[in-house]
Amino acid sequence: MNGALPFIAAAALLALVLGFLARRGKDMNLEQWTVGGRGFGAIFVFLLLAGEIYTTFTFLGGSGYAYGKGAPAYYILAYGTLAYVLSYFMLPPIWRYAKEHRLYSQSDFFVRKYDSPALGVLVALVDIVALIPYLVLQFKGLGIIVDIAGYGAISPTVAIWIGAIIVAAYVMVSGVHGSAWTSVAKDTMILAIVIFLGLYLPLHYYGGLGPMFTAIEQAKPGFTVLPAHGESLWWYASTVLLTALGFFMWPHSFGSIYTAKNATVIRKNAIFLPLYQLILLFVFFVGFAATLQVPGLTGSNIDLALFKLSVKTFDPWFVGVIGATGIFTALVPGSMILMTAATLIANNLYRAVNPSADDRQVSYLAKLLVPLVALVAVFFTLKGGETIVALLLMGYSFVTQLFPSLILSLAHRNFATREGAAAGIIVGVATVATVSLTGMNFHKLAWLPSAIQDLNIGIVALVANFIVLIVVSLATRAAAAPAQAAAE
Amino acid sequence: MRSIRWLAVVPFLALLVGPFFVNQPTPLILGLPFLLAWIVVWILITSLIMAVIYAVDPANREEGA
């Protein structure tokens, strides 16, 4: 027994209790379970939309990125901000349409807009393939956090099992209400902890932010600016743009739009979410503070920077508090992913093959699927090798492929046809997979100017997607026109 | 007054194009390297811009919009 364990145990218990209490007073039909009865006010919608920024990826990965690479980490601040600017214009029409047609999932949106259940199945498959590795990432992070913050008293395997059981239990019982309630605890804790760490660590080790950055620039010249090659300005601009477009294409983020009780809630949040993003700045400060204090972490170990420095600096009980916060950053996004994946399978795959299924059956099935999806994710977390890592890197690029056909469908007259949308998505996803699996990037094409070499390769997939979408849409329109004329 | 929405282009220019002109470590602003300070300041301004758009946009005064 060490000083950290009580706090870690308390966090797990708190998540479970909040997750169960969230159900109170609600009849958990599909609409309550998956989109909160479309009755969430500004705060819950805010927390759900912000949930995406503060996952284990940012807690561990954000500080790790600053620690290992320096300035390229800034891109995370920029893309979130631009995504929230887009949200003001893009999300209200999505919300309105979803409410009118009583949609539950992102896939439903495509089914309705393109009047094509088959396109819905395609979207659901892309979503699930992207979501499962993302859930695995949260579980992996949870294992690491509990292992380090608990000073090795609890093995990652045990931590992952316990975490998966807790999150599956409260998602089954409370659905998105459980995510919303636990996110209140998560965000309160992370605000306090991250701001404290981000201010204290630079002060403690360097005497302040200015001296810290001066010391870093002296030891590693160029570390606080974007390098001339590799993760350069061109890399930064292309990556920020791509990730900003893909941000709300994550099906669980997309689904949290549906929970809003009106569109004003969503627009108002576009004012405050950019500010909230700034908490990440403090995560970066921790990573920068660690660069000169716990040097030597390389490869995927850079993600340990925050905890290595914390263990070096603080008493075990406080490391336990940080660990408790870390647990929430894994469980809350995990719960949203879990619920979204289960809804997609029940509502968009099962219902596609069994159209007579009513909402009650779908709701029942979705809840039954929660522990199964969690089990699959635990299996991949514990047994998954290289494949899962490859899928992780692709997840974001996969969901970004939904952007062209989604954005076009918001226009009064949608130019894209269902065939065009499907072909674009398939080509985009295939391009992402090919490019990622072969390790292709512009640097392999030595004849290109260096600015282009540094561009994010994801742009190729998105452009290919768009071109195929346009060509196929034109072709299907041309083919349909004579038939229509004949019918008239 | 819907044209006020075009203000939203400004954060894109500032955060995508701006760094090409300010990619330097110094001077430190409030202790932050210049490039990082640029990004942070623009996040603050972005929030302000969205507040202005929100206040002027007639969509937010329609009932249940």
Side-chain angles (χ1 to χ4, degrees), chain A residues 88 213 226 236 263-264 267 271, chain B residues 15 23 31 47 54 57 60 65:
Chain A
Y88 184 95
F213 282 113
L226 293 164
Y236 162 90
T264 313
R267 291 199 200 89
I271 304 172
Chain B
L15 288 171
N23 190 25
S47 175
Y54 180 87
D57 193 342
N60 296 310

Side-chain angles (χ1 to χ4, degrees), chain A residues 30 346 359-369:
Chain A
L30 190 59
D359 272 11
R360 255 196 36 183
Q361 286 166 304
V362 169
S363 158
Y364 186 69
L365 178 65
K367 288 172 194 171
L368 274 183
L369 281 166

Side-chain angles (χ1 to χ4, degrees), chain A residues 396-405 424-425 428-429 432 458 461-462 465:
Chain A
Y396 213 110
S397 312
F398 275 161
V399 293
T400 307
Q401 301 311 318
L402 303 177
F403 183 80
S405 43
I425 293 170
V429 166
V432 170
L462 203 58
N465 177 337

Side-chain angles (χ1 to χ4, degrees), chain A residues 34-181:
Chain A
T34 191
V35 292
R38 297 178 221 275
F40 282 1
I43 300 214
F44 271 178
V45 175
F46 180 91
L47 290 174
L48 290 180
L49 287 181
E52 174 61 22
I53 339 171
Y54 301 112
T55 67
T56 51
F57 170 73
T58 34
F59 200 57
L60 300 176
S63 53
Y65 216 116
Y67 167 92
K69 301 187 172 177
Y74 305 164
Y75 97 89
I76 305 174
L77 278 175
Y79 85 74
T81 305
L82 295 183
Y84 292 133
V85 173
L86 282 177
S87 82
Y88 184 95
F89 308 100
M90 196 172 83
L91 304 195
I94 295 177
W95 172 85
R96 202 171 305 120
Y97 191 78
K99 186 176 165 83
E100 267 167 33
H101 297 279
R102 298 182 28 100
L103 309 180
Y104 297 120
S105 68
Q106 183 185 42
S107 166
D108 284 347
F109 193 88
F110 284 84
V111 172
R112 271 285 174 167
K113 278 282 188 187
Y114 286 94
D115 188 24
S116 166
L119 184 63
V121 170
L122 176 67
V123 171
L125 288 175
V126 172
D127 281 348
I128 291 163
V129 170
L131 279 176
I132 301 280
Y134 201 27
L135 184 56
V136 169
L137 180 70
Q138 304 305 327
F139 284 168
K140 265 197 201 305
L142 180 78
I144 294 172
I145 289 167
V146 174
D147 187 35
I148 303 188
Y151 294 84
I154 307 167
S155 80
T157 309
V158 174
I160 289 163
W161 274 111
I162 296 176
I165 291 169
I166 289 175
V167 78
Y170 82 70
V171 168
M172 276 180 86
V173 171
S174 302
V176 74
H177 290 278
S179 304
W181 279 46

Side-chain angles (χ1 to χ4, degrees), chain A residues 212-231:
Chain A
M212 175 175 82
F213 282 113
T214 307
I216 291 173
E217 251 328 290
Q218 256 164 15
K220 303 176 154 195
F223 198 67
T224 61
V225 293
L226 293 164
H229 297 289
E231 294 189 331

Side-chain angles (χ1 to χ4, degrees), chain A residues 74 81-82 85 88-89 209-210 213-214 217 224-226 233-234 236-237 240 263-264 267-268 270-271 274-275 278 285, chain B residues 5 8 11 15-16 19-20 23-25 28 31-33 35-36 39-40 43-44 46-47 50-51 53-54 57 59-60 65:
Chain A
Y74 305 164
T81 305
L82 295 183
V85 173
Y88 184 95
F89 308 100
L209 287 173
F213 282 113
T214 307
E217 251 328 290
T224 61
V225 293
L226 293 164
L233 282 157
W234 290 99
Y236 162 90
V240 168
T264 313
R267 291 199 200 89
K268 197 183 283 169
I271 304 172
L275 291 181
L278 282 176
F285 291 163
Chain B
R5 291 178 158 212
L15 288 171
L16 289 175
F20 284 83
N23 190 25
Q24 53 195 65
L28 296 180
L32 301 182
L35 173 62
L36 182 57
I39 292 173
V40 169
I43 292 174
L44 297 174
T46 299
S47 175
M50 296 319 289
I53 294 177
Y54 180 87
D57 193 342
N60 296 310

